[in-house]
Amino acid sequence: MTMTGEMLIGGGAVYGKGIAFRAVDPATGREMEPAFGGGGDAEVERACALAWEAFDIFRETGLEARARFLEAIAQRILDLGDALVERAVAESGLPRPRIEGERGRTVDQLRLFAQVVREGGWLDAHIDRAQPERRPLPRPDLRQRHIALGPVAVFGASNFPLAFSVAGGDTASALAAGCPVVVKAHAAHPGTSELVGRAIQAAVAECRLPEGVFSMLFDSGHAVGTALVADWRIKAVGFTGSRRGGIALMNVAAARREPIPVYAEMSSINPIFLLPAALETRAETLGKAFAASLTMGAGQFCTNPGLVLAVDGPGLNRFLEAASVALRESAAATMLTPGIHAAYDDGVRRLTARSDVQTVARGQACVGPNQCQAALFAADAEAFLSDPGLQEEVFGSASLVIRCPEVATMRAVAERLEGQLTATVHADDADADEARQLFPTLERKAGRMLFNGWPTGVEVCHAIVHGGPFPATSDSRTTSVGALAIRRFLRPVCYQDVPAALLPEAVQDGNPLNLWRRIDGDLQSPDGKDASV
Amino acid sequence: MTMTGEMLIGGGAVYGKGIAFRAVDPATGREMEPAFGGGGDAEVERACALAWEAFDIFRETGLEARARFLEAIAQRILDLGDALVERAVAESGLPRPRIEGERGRTVDQLRLFAQVVREGGWLDAHIDRAQPERRPLPRPDLRQRHIALGPVAVFGASNFPLAFSVAGGDTASALAAGCPVVVKAHAAHPGTSELVGRAIQAAVAECRLPEGVFSMLFDSGHAVGTALVADWRIKAVGFTGSRRGGIALMNVAAARREPIPVYAEMSSINPIFLLPAALETRAETLGKAFAASLTMGAGQFCTNPGLVLAVDGPGLNRFLEAASVALRESAAATMLTPGIHAAYDDGVRRLTARSDVQTVARGQACVGPNQCQAALFAADAEAFLSDPGLQEEVFGSASLVIRCPEVATMRAVAERLEGQLTATVHADDADADEARQLFPTLERKAGRMLFNGWPTGVEVCHAIVHGGPFPATSDSRTTSVGALAIRRFLRPVCYQDVPAALLPEAVQDGNPLNLWRRIDGDLQSPDGKDASV
């Protein structure tokens, strides 16, 4: 499969007449072939029209057929072989093992959603049986299932060119829910996007689905994305990126005649709380492990540990010393794009210049373009509490340690934090009381709480939550990773006295889909004797 | 219990220093005692501060304790006895049997949520067990439950002074979720609000809950409501009312530093589709039943049938004749407020004045102030399709019949409808094909589809959906009636490697709450042998 620079609109491919752009290899700063033609209103219109046309058919595909479609996408991504890995490495500056791992995660994620679709729990089927004898009024027959919201706009993320991009978590969960997807590809990895997009396009054709189930648009600016979110046929948005970008899309969505949900995963500094006993017994281990988590992938993770809180004293000094040693040995690593690199350098410069912030350690100096030189800073709790600016995320391997006079101050700082994807506590048995006191605050602030671990590395499974209060995300009621992500793209519909011949399978008598269902409020298994409705 | 005109802030009562107002008996136009003191910023601040203080404690109350609290509210509402019924009748103009029925519904609703809380399905507990041996990386122990969003602002609705007001569906479901509630009482029924508010306040004290679990504010204008939605401690909003009011609150919520979800139930004309065979065989029965649904409660239901679609011809004429006969006999009925009455008369006048709309029938003339004289209009499909203004809701007993040249036109009109709470189809066996063709469109447009019934009368149960795409509601992913309404006020939290001593009960080994849980993705019953995690 070769790259042509074309957008994929339904079953076709079209070279955009807008401003063309090329991918940049951040490791060399050089542009790569081919040039990708930017899209415009005509392509947004066509992609949305096809998605709308496909919607009623696609949302009613059988569970098995839809699951196989997701598996077909996974297989076709694997079939791209080394060409995909090479292009993704070149476009992202990420090391080959990371891209190979990310490909595995992308494929596993599609297969997880295939399982989720087959099991059918997301249909959330309910049946409240008629009570014709009830007084004063009979009760009608009421049934409920969830249906797809409508076509979804997905924005590829820069930092996961596979797992949160064209066939990433947002796309997989939207397709699983029965929503056609229109992707606005990230301009940082257009070649990777085209390859993966063509794999999805081929899977659509192989599974004989309506062509509008998937389209993919290019634009090096914001016009196409804005037009897409504003289009009346788009009913939800999935986005992973900057706070500014997410808020811009939220505003477009809120200003529509029909406002729509935006699932934007934006900004998080993922605080780490080092409790006294843990710090006392294993400051060196913690410092070393922290530095490893901070510098992994040049710190370009949503869950990168950007803030550390501890009581000032010998334990914290040992932690800082161990972290500094590790950090000073850490090689500078290529960042995803020149823009991200410039923003990182800006953020580090801003912190370095402050009189109330100390530079504790830097990583090894840069030896190539667009490299991230790790940075560890420290400040007093007083400084942090008096300036909300110190909460701003510096995307990359930079972190700020807050020296607190006592544990109560750590709680006070926690209470002042914005919403987070994660909050981590390092605690020994002797820290149990402190941990217990911190717990409710962290639960209110974050989507995921970790003990004695590191937030980088998000497991794709059933119980995971990759979400959290604003500005971590625009909608704390959901997760963008894991099985529950499918719920973002569903809504309930109730069927009152609908004739058997017209009822959707999920709520038919006899339970043809073998679902867990709630009958008069009670959960019943597919094979339960009471499930005979 | 006597009325004092005071607001209820936590355990206390305070007479507002803002503009005072009195309830008006719409049946006489006369003002009633006492005067209610309007609130201001100080009361919003105090109510929100107390709610915030109560939040961490209230959200962790045990399931049994929280269920008993809801039941205590129900009992104390019943204990108010006839004083409540009399005041609600006087303030709303609704007949006594309707208010008595609504009291029953309010109490049943609180008791349903008590059951829902006890059962615990809403906690949505997940456990993905650790896999320490997994390669290349071990899997951590991951658990998930849902927690309360935070304090909720509830706006009482004018048309359900009990069931969608101070202790109505929004309050019941928010409290069930573990969210403290601050109610902005509707200025149309302040006495009813105070009585019910004091019942809740007494239940809070009886159950020894933190006083901030409930507060209630008065304001005859919009300042208090706006300040409430803008307050940083408020994390969600429940509202039932006009489209303009709902959109105003959505805008306030979206403009906050931390945007929050607004569940506004606003505007719906609840289309009725009369398919040819059904019309042919039972036009007269349908016409009569339609008129009864239209005039029930002076048409002041969110689910009032404001639009009827049918193919023009003898069947439709018979339907119109039967509906007209019934309508002409229907007595004018007192509306809820002078303002609602004026808006109804305006809407009817607007339709009457149009050359492309025919007045088919009017109800009996008004014999008292603020009465609703029913009105039935008709227009051609062409007129309807060319003017979106004909979709505007006229709140009250007014409905518009659209004469369609053929069934395909009915589908075309359906496709052009805005989002609806309900869509109703009247169909005989011979209409099966037409019904099947209409089905996907109606599913996309409405939260509840009915066959051969009438949309007024919303069952409070597990399978119900009282919701739908914008502008029926601001958030189609939920329902404001029935057991699932609790989900509006929850968000998931994941616990990674959290020590057993700190884990919430819902996800502890041994399943102390006896919940249905998903273990490694599989649903397991409380007594299941595999549920031994």
Side-chain angles (χ1 to χ4, degrees):
Chain A
M1 210 178 264
T2 54
M3 285 165 284
T4 62
E6 290 168 306
M7 290 176 285
L8 308 174
I9 318 271
V14 56
Y15 196 88
K17 296 188 185 76
I19 297 168
F21 63 100
R22 284 181 171 76
V24 173
D25 180 343
T28 62
R30 274 195 290 268
E31 291 196 328
M32 289 181 279
E33 292 303 323
F36 293 81
D41 288 348
E43 287 82 22
V44 171
E45 166 60 32
R46 177 89 181 125
C48 291
L50 284 175
W52 190 246
E53 208 176 295
F55 177 45
D56 276 347
I57 297 163
F58 182 56
R59 71 182 170 94
E60 291 301 331
T61 45
L63 302 189
E64 181 59 28
R66 207 183 304 168
R68 285 192 187 168
F69 170 50
L70 293 167
E71 289 164 346
I73 296 172
Q75 187 55 50
R76 283 180 181 268
I77 288 172
L78 289 176
D79 291 348
L80 290 169
D82 221 41
L84 176 64
V85 174
E86 281 168 10
R87 181 75 190 190
V89 167
E91 287 186 331
S92 68
L94 295 169
R96 170 176 269 270
R98 150 71 195 268
I99 289 292
E100 284 172 345
E102 196 181 320
R103 178 177 60 179
R105 176 175 165 168
T106 307
V107 165
D108 288 351
Q109 201 159 248
L110 286 157
R111 290 173 176 162
L112 171 68
F113 280 110
Q115 277 176 43
V116 167
V117 168
R118 280 195 184 92
E119 199 258 357
W122 56 275
L123 284 159
D124 203 11
H126 282 67
I127 298 178
D128 287 350
R129 290 178 284 202
Q131 297 173 357
E133 312 300 330
R134 194 183 65 174
R135 296 287 169 265
L137 289 170
R139 183 167 90 171
D141 178 283
L142 291 153
R143 302 179 185 225
Q144 186 201 107
R145 67 162 179 168
H146 276 63
I147 70 168
L149 274 184
V152 172
V154 170
F155 289 75
S158 62
N159 63 337
F160 280 91
L162 297 171
F164 273 86
S165 191
V166 179
D170 288 339
T171 296
S173 54
L175 292 176
C179 298
V181 166
V182 182
V183 170
K184 156 67 177 63
H186 200 287
H189 51 264
T192 307
S193 296
E194 186 186 335
L195 291 172
V196 173
R198 287 188 184 273
I200 301 178
Q201 197 181 45
V204 170
E206 172 192 333
C207 298
R208 299 171 191 280
L209 294 170
E211 58 172 333
V213 165
F214 175 78
S215 291
M216 188 192 71
L217 307 173
F218 286 129
D219 182 12
S220 54
H222 300 304
V224 163
T226 304
L228 191 56
V229 173
D231 190 280
W232 68 269
R233 289 156 295 205
I234 295 296
K235 301 299 185 187
V237 178
F239 169 88
T240 300
S242 71
R243 185 169 181 163
R244 200 170 62 178
I247 289 175
L249 294 183
M250 289 168 72
N251 289 338
V252 172
R256 287 167 51 122
R257 185 175 161 80
E258 176 195 8
I260 55 171
V262 173
Y263 303 105
E265 196 261 86
M266 298 178 289
S267 174
S268 182
I269 54 174
N270 306 294
I272 311 284
F273 296 81
L274 306 173
L275 293 182
L279 199 54
E280 171 67 28
T281 54
R282 46 196 164 97
E284 288 78 11
T285 319
L286 288 171
K288 203 171 157 185
F290 161 70
S293 177
L294 177 64
T295 53
M296 189 191 293
Q300 300 167 117
F301 292 106
C302 324
T303 54
N304 191 55
L307 190 73
V308 177
L309 295 110
V311 174
D312 205 4
L316 180 56
N317 291 338
R318 283 159 51 215
F319 170 87
L320 288 171
E321 182 53 29
S324 298
V325 167
L327 220 60
R328 285 188 203 108
E329 284 168 7
S330 74
T334 306
M335 298 194 84
L336 293 155
T337 71
I340 287 172
H341 173 252
Y344 175 77
D345 273 1
D346 261 8
V348 167
R349 206 173 297 125
R350 219 171 46 236
L351 288 169
T352 309
R354 290 178 67 125
S355 60
D356 56 354
V357 172
Q358 301 89 51
T359 303
V360 177
R362 295 297 309 261
Q364 291 188 13
C366 304
V367 294
N370 302 314
Q371 287 191 339
C372 173
Q373 183 189 6
L376 183 60
F377 299 98
D380 289 342
E382 206 180 332
F384 189 84
L385 288 170
S386 63
D387 181 3
L390 282 176
Q391 283 200 47
E392 271 168 35
E393 183 181 13
V394 177
F395 191 70
S397 297
S399 193
L400 175 63
V401 177
I402 306 297
R403 300 180 189 270
C404 299
E406 51 183 358
V407 177
T409 315
M410 291 170 67
R411 287 200 299 274
V413 171
E415 205 54 70
R416 291 281 284 279
L417 291 174
E418 296 189 300
Q420 305 290 337
L421 292 171
T422 68
T424 300
V425 180
H426 286 276
D428 278 2
D429 289 348
D431 295 313
D433 283 349
E434 315 287 8
R436 200 179 306 279
Q437 287 183 61
L438 203 49
F439 207 86
T441 302
L442 300 189
E443 235 177 0
R444 263 192 279 105
K445 296 289 178 179
R448 179 165 56 113
M449 291 174 64
L450 299 86
F451 270 68
N452 299 323
W454 301 97
T456 41
V458 179
E459 190 70 30
V460 180
C461 59
H462 298 273
I464 195 73
V465 175
H466 191 65
F470 185 91
T473 77
S474 55
D475 191 336
S476 71
R477 295 165 293 175
T478 65
T479 171
S480 61
V481 174
L484 297 188
I486 192 175
R487 294 192 189 160
R488 298 180 295 171
F489 303 113
L490 297 166
R491 69 177 181 88
V493 174
C494 176
Y495 306 88
Q496 181 170 329
D497 288 333
V498 170
L502 288 170
L503 273 178
E505 280 185 309
V507 290
Q508 282 176 9
D509 289 354
N511 197 5
L513 297 184
N514 288 308
L515 303 174
W516 285 90
R517 309 199 287 191
R518 279 199 186 259
I519 312 293
D520 296 327
D522 294 327
L523 252 182
Q524 300 199 349
S525 75
D527 49 6
K529 62 180 192 315
D530 296 334
S532 56
V533 172
Chain B
M1 209 178 264
T2 54
M3 285 165 283
T4 61
E6 289 168 306
M7 291 176 284
L8 308 174
I9 318 271
V14 56
Y15 196 88
K17 296 188 185 76
I19 297 168
F21 63 99
R22 286 180 170 76
V24 173
D25 180 343
T28 62
R30 275 195 289 269
E31 289 196 329
M32 289 181 279
E33 293 302 323
F36 293 81
D41 287 348
E43 287 82 22
V44 171
E45 167 60 32
R46 177 89 181 125
C48 291
L50 284 174
W52 190 245
E53 209 175 294
F55 177 46
D56 276 347
I57 297 163
F58 182 58
R59 71 182 171 94
E60 291 300 333
T61 45
L63 302 189
E64 181 60 27
R66 207 183 304 167
R68 286 193 187 168
F69 170 50
L70 294 167
E71 289 164 346
I73 297 172
Q75 188 55 51
R76 282 179 180 269
I77 288 172
L78 289 175
D79 291 346
L80 290 169
D82 222 40
L84 177 65
V85 175
E86 280 168 11
R87 181 76 189 189
V89 167
E91 287 187 331
S92 68
L94 294 169
R96 171 177 269 269
R98 152 68 197 270
I99 289 293
E100 284 172 346
E102 196 181 320
R103 179 178 58 180
R105 176 176 165 167
T106 307
V107 165
D108 288 350
Q109 202 160 248
L110 286 157
R111 290 173 176 163
L112 171 67
F113 279 111
Q115 278 177 42
V116 166
V117 168
R118 279 194 184 92
E119 199 257 356
W122 55 275
L123 284 159
D124 204 12
H126 283 68
I127 299 178
D128 287 351
R129 290 177 283 202
Q131 296 174 358
E133 313 300 330
R134 195 183 63 174
R135 294 288 168 268
L137 290 170
R139 183 168 89 168
D141 177 283
L142 291 153
R143 303 179 185 224
Q144 187 201 105
R145 66 162 179 169
H146 276 63
I147 70 167
L149 273 184
V152 172
V154 170
F155 289 76
S158 63
N159 63 338
F160 280 91
L162 296 172
F164 272 86
S165 192
V166 178
D170 288 339
T171 297
S173 54
L175 292 176
C179 298
V181 167
V182 182
V183 170
K184 156 65 176 64
H186 199 287
H189 51 265
T192 306
S193 296
E194 185 186 335
L195 291 171
V196 172
R198 287 190 184 271
I200 301 177
Q201 198 181 45
V204 170
E206 173 191 331
C207 297
R208 299 170 191 281
L209 294 170
E211 57 171 334
V213 165
F214 175 78
S215 292
M216 188 191 71
L217 307 172
F218 287 129
D219 182 11
S220 55
H222 300 304
V224 163
T226 304
L228 191 55
V229 173
D231 191 279
W232 68 269
R233 289 157 294 204
I234 295 295
K235 300 299 186 189
V237 178
F239 169 88
T240 299
S242 71
R243 184 169 179 163
R244 201 171 61 178
I247 289 174
L249 294 182
M250 289 167 71
N251 289 338
V252 173
R256 287 166 51 120
R257 185 174 161 81
E258 177 194 8
I260 55 171
V262 173
Y263 302 105
E265 195 260 86
M266 298 178 287
S267 174
S268 181
I269 54 174
N270 306 294
I272 311 285
F273 295 82
L274 307 173
L275 292 183
L279 199 55
E280 171 68 28
T281 55
R282 47 196 165 98
E284 288 79 11
T285 320
L286 288 170
K288 204 171 157 185
F290 162 70
S293 177
L294 178 63
T295 54
M296 189 191 294
Q300 299 168 118
F301 291 106
C302 323
T303 53
N304 190 55
L307 190 73
V308 178
L309 295 112
V311 173
D312 205 4
L316 180 56
N317 292 338
R318 282 160 51 214
F319 170 87
L320 287 171
E321 182 53 29
S324 298
V325 166
L327 220 60
R328 286 188 203 109
E329 284 168 8
S330 74
T334 305
M335 299 193 84
L336 292 154
T337 70
I340 286 173
H341 174 251
Y344 175 77
D345 274 1
D346 262 8
V348 167
R349 205 173 298 125
R350 218 170 47 236
L351 288 170
T352 309
R354 289 178 69 124
S355 60
D356 55 355
V357 172
Q358 301 89 52
T359 304
V360 176
R362 295 297 308 262
Q364 290 187 15
C366 303
V367 294
N370 302 315
Q371 287 192 340
C372 172
Q373 183 188 9
L376 183 60
F377 300 98
D380 288 342
E382 205 181 332
F384 188 86
L385 288 169
S386 63
D387 181 2
L390 282 176
Q391 283 199 48
E392 271 169 34
E393 183 182 12
V394 178
F395 191 70
S397 298
S399 192
L400 176 63
V401 177
I402 305 298
R403 300 179 188 271
C404 299
E406 51 183 356
V407 177
T409 315
M410 292 170 67
R411 288 199 298 275
V413 171
E415 205 54 69
R416 291 282 283 279
L417 291 174
E418 294 188 301
Q420 306 290 337
L421 292 170
T422 68
T424 300
V425 179
H426 286 277
D428 278 1
D429 289 349
D431 294 314
D433 283 351
E434 315 287 8
R436 199 179 307 278
Q437 288 183 61
L438 203 50
F439 206 87
T441 302
L442 300 189
E443 235 177 0
R444 264 192 278 105
K445 295 288 177 179
R448 178 165 58 112
M449 292 175 64
L450 299 87
F451 271 67
N452 299 323
W454 301 97
T456 42
V458 180
E459 190 69 30
V460 180
C461 58
H462 298 273
I464 195 70
V465 176
H466 191 64
F470 186 90
T473 77
S474 54
D475 190 335
S476 72
R477 294 165 293 175
T478 65
T479 171
S480 61
V481 175
L484 296 189
I486 192 174
R487 292 191 190 162
R488 297 180 295 170
F489 303 114
L490 297 166
R491 69 178 181 87
V493 175
C494 176
Y495 306 89
Q496 180 170 330
D497 288 334
V498 170
L502 289 170
L503 272 178
E505 281 186 308
V507 291
Q508 282 176 10
D509 289 355
N511 197 7
L513 298 184
N514 288 307
L515 303 174
W516 285 89
R517 309 200 286 191
R518 279 198 186 261
I519 311 295
D520 295 328
D522 293 329
L523 252 181
Q524 299 198 349
S525 75
D527 49 5
K529 61 179 194 314
D530 295 336
S532 56
V533 172

